[in-house]
């Protein structure tokens, strides 16, 4: 054997890389690849340990392969169980390989295993059943106490969710409460034991007040995601109810950078002050506009850099306007906002609003680099070229801008107030770093005299034009001339909802190649015959 292969650290790197590649395509890893690692472990003593470490690093789908190393772990009436006492001699092979496991992903419930197996095994081992576990991905099941048995001090990432099919099977208050009690018990054990925990994703039932009691036990958590299926009287699409005390608990987490919450309502006392989360930079909120409004107002002192909101409810224009006002954190670099309305309030159906009345607060966020706003079946709002100019001047550091306002189908847009191709010149002049632009306008704008259009060297790469209803492209050549004049380097062009979109894209490419053709002809004419 080559001397290099006798170096254990080199072999560990090689087999570790193989394990990384298999882990990335876990669902598509062939049996042959697993057998190759097994064969490597049997090749020689030097290969055995690093190959076995790679082979057992990730358990995907079930604990069965590991548990079957225990002699008295047998199947009885279709359920795997531990038969009789569990002695140290029975656990020799299990201990050897359980310490190699770093990740476990059980995505379909372990109903073929008796729930008592996990707790019996933990008592026999005197520690977590996977003592070196770093990543846990598990579907919650209120019948099984497996979760606490899996808690190990080495845990760094935890992803817990409730199996969707079980949610619909168990739509009862009793099942929801039982499930919430399992979650509460697990959180206490997790935060008391796993001092290295960095990431927690929890999509399960959480009882009010549990978070404020359990979260202070963790000091290193960097990312927290909370989603719930609580069935006790809450809206099932946005079920989580948080209290002011929960956000106080968040504020004591000194390393929390990312917070994602699906929230239904927030209980905040009338005399409560605002709360600053010291390291929070990325906030994701899903739920009702009232719940999101309460959270944003509460966290005003926080220095957010990225804000993502998803709202799906039917409120008045004033409610959405208030929501926009609380979005305007001066430190924001990126914002994604989605509002989906199914039924408009009667008083707002026929009233037109100026889009700047919604965006006025956002225009004060001069550090914004990415702005993505999607308003679906929304109120009737109007904009023009001055609107585009206001945005371009307010956000000079823009890299990406995507604004889509889809008004309700029965509201007739007024093409006379639509922004035009001429309005895009504001972004060419004021946003030198803009790379992606998607906006609604009237593409049929006459191209001006060549001497009245400034020469542009803007490097925009992607342009998507959404035409206003009733505005059709009259001349694709004119549209292409505008685009080429303002954004000569653009690579991707589309006009959504317009039959001439392909023609516009081809014309832009043609304009871009013309200088090259002219230069070639000029060089050929200068060459001596």
């Amino acid at each position: 054997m080559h001397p290099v292969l006798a170096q254990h650290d080199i072999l560990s790197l090689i087999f570790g890389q193989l394990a990384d590649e298999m882990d990335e395509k876990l669902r598509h890893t062939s049996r042959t690849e697993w057998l190759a690692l097994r064969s490597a472990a049997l090749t020689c003593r030097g290969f055995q340990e690093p190959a076995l470490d790679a082979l057992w690093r990730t358990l995907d789908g079930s604990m069965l392969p590991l548990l079957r190393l225990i002699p008295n772990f047998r199947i009885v009436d279709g359920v795997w169980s531990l038969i009789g006492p569990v002695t140290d001699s029975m656990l020799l092979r299990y201990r050897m390989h359980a310490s190699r496991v770093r990740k476990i992903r059980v995505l379909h419930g372990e109903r073929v295993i008796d729930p008592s197996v996990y707790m019996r095994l933990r008592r026999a081992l005197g520690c977590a059943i996977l003592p070196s576990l770093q990543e846990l991905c598990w579907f919650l099941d209120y019948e099984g106490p497996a979760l606490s048995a899996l808690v190990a001090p080495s845990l760094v990432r935890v992803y817990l969710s409730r199996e969707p099919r079980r949610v619909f099977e168990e739509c009862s208050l009793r099942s929801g409460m039982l499930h919430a009690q399992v979650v509460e018990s697990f959180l206490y054990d997790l935060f008391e034991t796993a001092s290295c925990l960095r990431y927690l994703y929890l999509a399960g039932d959480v009882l009010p007040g549990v978070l404020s009691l359990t979260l202070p036990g963790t000091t290193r958590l960097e990312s927290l995601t909370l989603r719930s299926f609580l069935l006790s009287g809450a809206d099932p699409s946005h079920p989580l109810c948080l209290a002011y005390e929960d956000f106080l608990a968040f504020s004591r987490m000194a390393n929390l950078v990312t917070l994602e919450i699906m929230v239904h309502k927030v209980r905040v006392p009338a005399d409560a002050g605002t709360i600053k989360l010291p390291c929070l930079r990325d906030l994701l909120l899903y739920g009702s506009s009232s719940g999101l409004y309460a959270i944003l107002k509460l966290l005003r002192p926080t220095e957010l850099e990225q804000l993502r909101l998803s709202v799906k409810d039917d409120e008045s224009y004033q409610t959405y306007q208030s929501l926009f006002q609380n979005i305007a954190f001066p430190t924001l670099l990126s914002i994604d906002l989605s509002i989906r309305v199914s039924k408009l309030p009667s008083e707002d159906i026929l009233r037109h609003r100026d889009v700047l009345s919604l965006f006025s607060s956002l225009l004060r966020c001069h550090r914004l680099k990415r702005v993505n706003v999607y308003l679906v079946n929304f109120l009737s709002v109007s904009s023009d070229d001055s609107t585009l100019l206001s945005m371009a001047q307010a956000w000079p550091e823009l890299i990406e801008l995507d604004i889509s306002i889809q008004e309700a189908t029965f509201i007739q847009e007024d093409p006379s107030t639509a922004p035009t191709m001429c309005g895009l010149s504001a972004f060419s002049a004021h946003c030198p770093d803009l790379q992606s632009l998607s906006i609604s306008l009237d593409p049929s704008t006459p191209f001006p005299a060549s001497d009245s259009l400034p020469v542009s060297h803007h490097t925009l790469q992607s342009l998507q034009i959404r035409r206003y209803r009733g505005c059709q492209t009259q001349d694709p050549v004119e549209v292409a001339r505008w685009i080429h004049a303002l954004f000569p380097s653009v690579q991707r062009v589309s006009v959504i909802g317009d039959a001439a979109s392909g023609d516009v894209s081809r014309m832009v490419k043609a304009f871009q190649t013309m200088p090259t053709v002219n230069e070639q002809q000029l060089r050929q004419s200068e060459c001596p015959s």
Side-chain angles (χ1 to χ4, degrees):
M1 184 172 69
H2 196 282
V4 172
L5 296 180
Q7 300 295 321
H8 185 270
D9 55 345
I10 294 177
L11 290 176
S12 296
L13 287 173
I14 293 172
F15 284 104
Q17 179 62 35
L18 290 174
D20 287 340
E21 294 175 1
M22 294 173 66
D23 198 40
E24 289 177 0
K25 58 173 185 176
L26 195 58
R27 295 297 173 188
H28 306 286
T29 301
S30 66
R31 178 176 173 81
T32 303
E33 291 174 294
W34 291 111
L35 290 176
L37 279 179
R38 178 179 178 275
S39 298
L42 298 173
T43 300
C44 63
R45 290 184 179 179
F47 283 10
Q48 183 177 9
E49 287 301 312
L52 285 175
D53 285 343
L55 186 63
W56 284 99
R57 189 172 73 176
T58 300
L59 288 179
D60 181 46
S62 177
M63 281 280 292
L64 277 175
L66 191 59
L67 293 174
R68 291 178 69 177
L69 297 176
I70 304 173
N72 63 337
F73 181 70
R74 302 170 188 170
I75 191 166
V76 178
D77 296 330
V79 178
W80 287 90
S81 308
L82 284 172
I83 308 302
V86 181
T87 63
D88 287 341
S89 60
M90 293 178 177
L91 296 175
L92 285 177
R93 293 182 66 204
Y94 178 89
R95 289 181 187 272
M96 181 187 305
H97 297 303
S99 62
R100 305 179 194 274
V101 178
R102 299 294 185 270
K103 301 179 182 179
I104 182 169
R105 299 167 183 169
V106 178
L107 304 180
H108 299 290
E110 289 274 53
R111 299 191 199 95
V112 295
I113 300 176
D114 188 332
S116 65
V117 168
Y118 299 101
M119 299 311 296
R120 288 190 63 192
L121 188 57
R122 179 167 185 169
R123 285 195 296 269
L125 292 169
C127 64
I129 62 177
L130 299 175
S132 302
L133 190 65
Q134 296 178 356
E135 182 175 315
L136 169 64
C137 182
W138 196 275
F139 265 118
L140 296 166
D141 192 340
Y142 73 81
E143 303 124 323
L147 284 174
S148 295
L150 289 164
V151 173
S154 53
L155 274 172
V156 176
R157 297 173 179 267
V158 174
Y159 304 89
L160 300 180
S161 184
R162 194 170 183 190
E163 191 173 354
R165 186 168 65 88
R166 297 301 294 271
V167 174
F168 294 105
E169 288 177 356
E170 301 165 358
C171 286
S172 68
L173 179 58
R174 176 181 176 275
S175 66
M177 294 297 290
L178 288 172
H179 194 273
Q181 290 169 5
V182 170
V183 172
E184 180 178 356
S185 176
F186 171 76
L187 290 178
Y188 275 110
D189 291 340
L190 178 67
F191 293 137
E192 183 178 349
T193 306
S195 59
C196 297
L197 189 67
R198 298 288 192 277
Y199 305 93
L200 174 61
Y201 176 99
L202 176 59
D205 298 333
V206 180
L207 294 174
V210 169
L211 295 172
S212 60
L213 294 175
T214 57
L215 285 175
T218 181
T219 58
R220 299 186 181 182
L221 199 65
E222 298 174 2
S223 177
L224 174 62
T225 298
L226 298 171
R227 299 189 178 199
S228 176
F229 299 112
L230 190 61
L231 302 172
S232 54
D235 180 354
S237 61
H238 302 301
L240 190 61
C241 179
L242 295 178
Y244 180 75
E245 292 74 20
D246 295 322
F247 288 92
L248 287 177
F250 297 155
S251 69
R252 291 190 286 269
M253 299 164 66
N255 296 308
L256 187 64
V257 176
T258 302
L259 179 61
E260 178 178 354
I261 304 175
M262 178 181 285
V263 65
H264 177 58
K265 64 174 67 174
V266 182
R267 297 198 299 260
V268 180
D271 57 346
T274 57
I275 297 176
K276 180 177 181 178
L277 276 58
C279 289
L280 188 68
R281 297 296 178 264
D282 189 359
L283 179 63
L284 297 81
L285 299 175
Y286 311 85
S288 64
S289 55
S290 58
L292 270 56
Y293 171 83
I295 293 177
L296 293 172
K297 185 177 180 181
L298 192 62
L299 300 182
R300 289 303 302 171
T302 303
E303 298 175 357
L304 289 179
E305 294 181 354
Q306 182 165 323
L307 181 60
R308 286 173 276 180
L309 307 176
S310 180
V311 186
K312 187 176 182 181
D313 60 7
D314 305 322
E315 296 290 347
S316 65
Y317 176 81
Q318 286 75 19
T319 300
Y320 295 123
Q321 193 174 30
S322 299
L323 181 63
F324 267 85
Q325 289 172 355
N326 279 279
I327 287 172
F329 289 77
T331 53
L332 273 184
L333 302 178
S334 174
I335 182 167
D336 288 84
L337 172 63
S338 172
I339 299 178
R340 295 179 178 272
V341 179
S342 59
K343 182 179 179 182
L344 291 170
S346 56
E347 65 271 15
D348 289 318
I349 289 180
L350 300 178
R351 297 183 63 182
H352 285 262
R353 311 279 185 170
D354 181 3
V355 71
L356 287 181
S357 66
L358 275 178
F359 282 68
S360 58
S361 56
L362 274 181
L363 296 180
R364 299 194 295 270
C365 302
H366 300 300
R367 298 179 59 194
L368 278 170
K369 297 180 181 294
R370 290 180 172 83
V371 177
N372 297 287
V373 179
Y374 304 95
L375 309 179
V376 180
N377 285 334
F378 202 64
L379 312 169
S380 179
V381 294
S382 60
S383 59
D384 52 24
D385 288 344
S386 63
T387 304
L388 303 188
L389 178 61
S390 298
M391 293 179 183
Q393 291 176 334
W395 305 323
E397 299 181 24
L398 270 181
I399 296 175
E400 177 183 339
L401 176 64
D402 186 349
I403 296 180
S404 173
I405 304 177
Q406 300 178 22
E407 297 181 351
T409 55
F410 54 82
I411 294 178
Q412 297 298 319
E413 295 173 346
D414 183 5
S416 64
T417 64
T420 66
M421 295 296 298
C422 182
L424 293 183
S425 61
F427 298 106
S428 177
H430 297 285
C431 302
D433 299 323
L434 189 63
Q435 295 297 299
S436 177
L437 175 60
S438 179
I439 203 138
S440 299
L441 51 77
D442 179 3
S444 297
T445 307
F447 193 74
S450 57
D451 57 351
S452 64
L453 191 70
V455 177
S456 172
H457 300 285
H458 202 282
T459 59
L460 184 81
Q461 295 297 298
S462 176
L463 175 63
Q464 185 179 77
I465 297 172
R466 298 187 181 93
R467 65 177 183 83
Y468 266 61
R469 195 181 300 120
C471 301
Q472 290 284 350
T473 299
Q474 303 299 325
D475 188 346
V477 176
E478 291 285 279
V479 178
R481 290 177 68 185
W482 268 109
I483 295 174
H484 181 252
L486 296 174
F487 308 111
S489 301
V490 69
Q491 296 298 308
R492 297 174 296 278
V493 177
S494 60
V495 184
I496 303 299
D498 199 310
S501 179
D503 294 335
V504 171
S505 181
R506 286 190 292 271
M507 290 295 175
V508 171
K509 294 295 183 185
F511 280 121
Q512 290 173 335
T513 57
M514 286 176 60
T516 304
V517 173
N518 292 336
E519 290 171 4
Q520 291 175 350
Q521 292 175 344
L522 181 61
R523 284 197 297 269
Q524 291 174 358
S525 64
E526 292 175 350
C527 291
S529 56

